[in-house]
Amino acid sequence: MAVRIEHDLLGEREVPAQAYWGIHTLRARENFPISGLTIGNYPALIKALAQVKQAAARANTDLGQLEADKSKVILQACDELIAGKLLDQFVVDVVQGGAGTSTNMNANEVIANRAIELLGGTKGHYQVVHPIEDVNASQSTNDVYPTALRVASSYAIQDLLKAMAHLRSAFEAKSFEFRDVLKLGRTQLQDAVPMTLGQEFRTYAVMLGEDEARLSEAMALIQEVNLGATAIGTGINTDPEYAASACRYLAQITGLPVKPAADMVEATQDTGAFVQLSGVLKRIACKLSKTCNDLRLLSSGPQAGLGEINLPARAAGSSIMPGKVNPIIPEVVNQIAFEVIGNDVTVTMASEAGQLQLNAFEPIIAWSLFKSIQHLAAGCRTLTDHCVVGITANRELLERRVRSSAGLATALNPYIGYENATRIAREAIATGRGVAELVLEQGLLDEAKLTEVLQVEVLTRPHRLTTVRRAS
């Protein structure tokens, strides 16, 4: 294999001649064989890095810190990365020491070598375009990496919001479809009072809507960036106008409302916005998992469980039990939720571990957030398309259970009194007879009034009480 010789402060090394990355990336590949996943597996991060480099190049050119001919090819190389090219050249592991320096240098080297090619030069001839002096001009890993992470997270969050809205719409459609399906609600897994299946499914839609709002708020927090802070937030080695200019360009390039942090020193060391975001992701995970627990429980059976709803059959459920079908789609979303909750612990610990003017553990924060966001988005789409849209209700079973349940006694309490309702409920449980049957038999209500009280709209929502009887 043809090689070229590159050098850094530790000495010289052979680099594959055709590689766009260089010696800094080579050392990172050797130093961090951790996850087996490279940063190239996260195109949004590479896109964000290229956009940060573009913004920096434009600001530096305006301020006379970068020659126009170099700026032109750097911008062109970044355009190619934004378009998704050269992802295979981003080869450092996502989990790395050095606060993201290896990721930043991988980007610097790829952009520099592609820019050199565009000028007709040979890779590694950094006197043409230098990875640090030109591509990284007015920058430090400590402002580039967190800024890119915030931009990439914003893109990923937008995708998650779309996936959540897709799932919410599916639950809303089911809520409308099941609006007249009477069933028995439960508290502590015990029979409670009547409700509609539509009300139950609307709850899942409302929970998602609330979390969409919280996620949008968290996204707004991470769009405050420290670009221009350089090493520790003091802006050393930058023009006084650079930070504001670079942020303006970054907003134009990304289409995101990014803005410079009010205090760059604080912003360079503080990862609180990532903790906030991770906490919202955990909240989403918890509520999605609870919803999936409900779907599995409501569909349990089909003969010896609740059996109130039917989930679409997606695969044979057993290698030994013929005819068995399992709730595999809710199960996979449950597992995504477990992962997200664990990732939140990682983000929390990494944020807490920051020291003085920098948090060195942003790479594990980045990886944890990307996994959580991507897997939640995939989980929402999977749950929608392979489960929720195909759910059906066992209407006759649900109505029969309501009519025979002692839970009806609660609805009759305002009309027959608590003592009578309690006695009727106990008798219904003991004898297996229906509440309505016992009420009529004992003359507590006439048939017309009982029919009125047991209408769906009376049983499942507030209504004005009439001819109340407080019998004892």
Side-chain angles (χ1 to χ4, degrees), residues 122-417:
T122 302
K123 297 186 190 74
H125 288 194
Y126 294 133
Q127 66 272 24
V128 179
V129 177
H130 198 279
I132 296 176
E133 293 180 1
D134 297 320
V135 180
N136 202 64
S138 303
Q139 301 154 64
S140 164
T141 292
N142 301 345
D143 63 339
V144 167
Y145 186 80
T147 298
L149 173 53
R150 289 165 184 261
V151 170
S153 296
S154 295
Y155 290 140
I157 290 169
Q158 289 174 344
D159 182 57
L160 175 55
L161 285 168
K162 291 177 183 177
M164 292 173 69
H166 183 46
L167 178 57
R168 173 171 47 80
S169 294
F171 277 125
E172 287 171 346
K174 286 297 168 183
S175 173
F176 182 78
E177 179 184 344
F178 299 148
R179 66 193 182 281
D180 61 343
V181 180
L182 195 63
K183 63 158 290 178
L184 203 62
R186 294 179 179 85
T187 58
Q188 296 163 273
L189 296 181
Q190 304 300 303
D191 296 352
V193 296
M195 66 184 305
T196 67
L197 190 60
Q199 288 173 320
E200 192 161 39
F201 272 73
R202 176 163 175 74
T203 297
Y204 306 139
V206 171
M207 289 196 299
L208 279 163
E210 290 175 346
D211 284 349
E212 289 173 65
R214 301 294 81 75
L215 187 57
S216 295
E217 292 167 0
M219 181 168 64
L221 286 177
I222 67 168
Q223 289 172 345
E224 182 180 278
V225 301
N226 73 329
L227 187 60
T230 62
I232 64 170
T234 61
I236 191 172
N237 294 344
T238 65
D239 185 280
E241 298 179 13
Y242 169 78
S245 177
C247 283
R248 281 196 303 271
Y249 276 123
L250 186 61
Q252 293 173 13
I253 293 165
T254 63
L256 299 171
V258 295
K259 59 182 180 180
D263 188 303
M264 291 291 194
V265 175
E266 180 274 335
T268 303
Q269 63 187 269
D270 179 38
T271 55
F274 295 135
V275 176
Q276 171 87 357
L277 172 58
S278 184
V280 172
L281 297 175
K282 180 177 72 171
R283 170 183 166 140
I284 295 168
C286 287
K287 292 205 274 187
L288 271 180
S289 191
K290 189 272 180 187
T291 298
C292 288
N293 292 342
D294 286 358
L295 296 179
R296 290 190 296 115
L297 188 58
L298 292 171
S299 65
S300 61
Q303 294 168 308
L306 294 185
E308 296 188 353
I309 62 173
N310 307 298
L311 306 185
R314 298 297 304 178
S318 174
S319 61
I320 189 174
M321 292 173 280
K324 191 171 188 290
V325 177
N326 294 326
I328 58 174
I329 302 303
E331 286 174 349
V332 76
V333 176
N334 281 130
Q335 292 174 80
I336 291 169
F338 306 155
E339 178 197 30
V340 172
I341 294 166
N343 289 340
D344 181 62
V345 175
T346 299
V347 172
T348 301
M349 295 303 296
S351 178
E352 181 276 334
Q355 297 168 321
L356 303 178
Q357 280 69 58
L358 182 68
N359 188 306
F361 307 112
E362 286 190 357
I364 199 68
I365 292 176
W367 191 38
S368 300
L369 289 175
F370 289 151
K371 286 189 297 180
S372 291
I373 296 170
Q374 290 180 0
H375 293 176
L376 281 173
C380 286
R381 287 189 288 266
T382 297
L383 185 61
T384 304
D385 299 336
H386 298 325
C387 182
V388 175
V389 296
I391 291 174
T392 58
N394 292 322
R395 293 172 178 256
E396 293 182 2
L397 172 65
L398 288 167
E399 184 172 359
R400 186 168 64 249
R401 284 180 175 170
V402 171
R403 298 305 178 187
S404 63
S405 170
L408 277 181
T410 301
L412 298 176
N413 181 40
Y415 301 93
I416 65 176

